[in-house]
Amino acid sequence: LGAGAVTRTKLATVEQSISHTTKSGTYTAGSMQHVTCDVGSDWTLTLPTSPATGTRVCVYVKSITAGRVLTVDGSSKNILGGVSDTLLMYCQGDRADLSYNGTEWVPQSLYLTPHASQMSAGSYARSGGTVASIHFDTVDFDNASTADISTEQITIKRAGRYRATAFIYTVGSAHQDTVIYLRKNGSA
């Protein structure tokens, strides 16, 4: 915005310099562009291949079909501090405001919706002293298509910290112990 106080004129100039477009398939963004994305199938939004320092591209996932992904391709330039040259967006509401600093794409703001899913099982009977698996039969919610009822697994798609919890309600003898094991990658 330059030196001095922020004025309506300066803000209007910045807003006018950013073009807005809505896309629903493979697209290469231009410099200073806000791209609203409808993701009905997997597709790639490619960032400018030869950006000038200060180039900005804003990406917003307006809608996404379950199980689909929007890949933001940095055109061989790193995104997110050198971790990768791609950014994967799985959820409605994911957004990134990226600025090119001459070497890589740096997020000015970034919101990637936390993934959340829950599976449950109906009532289950077992006889005392036996070890048995509880089989999930319902996906209660899943905002990023991470839960698969056919494999009874939740597959994490994005690096980060996750919380796994289990609840069990038992009816029976007060002297009966119940132990729950959570398996990671199929092993205890």
Side-chain angles (χ1 to χ4, degrees), residues 126 130 134 168-171 173-181:
R126 71 173 184 92
T130 62
I134 297 174
I168 188 166
Y169 300 98
T170 61
V171 176
S173 170
H175 301 289
Q176 185 177 3
D177 291 331
T178 302
V179 178
I180 298 174
Y181 294 97

Side-chain angles (χ1 to χ4, degrees), residues 19 21 23 26-35 43-51 55-59 72-73 75 105:
S19 66
T21 188
K23 297 295 175 185
T26 301
Y27 178 69
T28 299
S31 177
M32 306 304 280
Q33 193 166 47
H34 182 280
V35 185
W43 61 275
T44 300
L45 183 144
T46 304
L47 298 175
T49 54
S50 300
T55 294
R56 287 181 78 170
V57 175
C58 303
V59 181
V72 179
D73 181 346
S75 297
W105 291 98

Side-chain angles (χ1 to χ4, degrees), residues 93-183:
D94 282 357
R95 61 188 174 274
D97 179 0
L98 303 169
S99 178
Y100 187 68
N101 69 3
T103 306
E104 64 186 359
W105 291 98
V106 178
Q108 300 303 302
S109 68
L110 178 67
Y111 180 78
L112 300 175
T113 305
H115 294 178
S117 58
Q118 176 178 309
M119 293 191 290
S120 62
S123 61
Y124 181 78
R126 71 173 184 92
S127 56
T130 62
V131 176
S133 296
I134 297 174
H135 298 285
F136 297 111
D137 55 20
T138 305
V139 174
D140 299 309
F141 62 85
D142 185 8
N143 72 344
S145 298
T146 58
D148 184 343
I149 201 71
S150 67
T151 62
E152 299 180 324
Q153 294 181 345
I154 295 174
T155 302
I156 304 302
K157 296 181 178 181
R158 184 180 290 144
R161 292 183 175 186
Y162 291 86
R163 178 184 304 175
T165 58
F167 296 96
I168 188 166
Y169 300 98
T170 61
V171 176
S173 170
H175 301 289
Q176 185 177 3
D177 291 331
T178 302
V179 178
I180 298 174
Y181 294 97
L182 178 64
R183 295 178 186 246

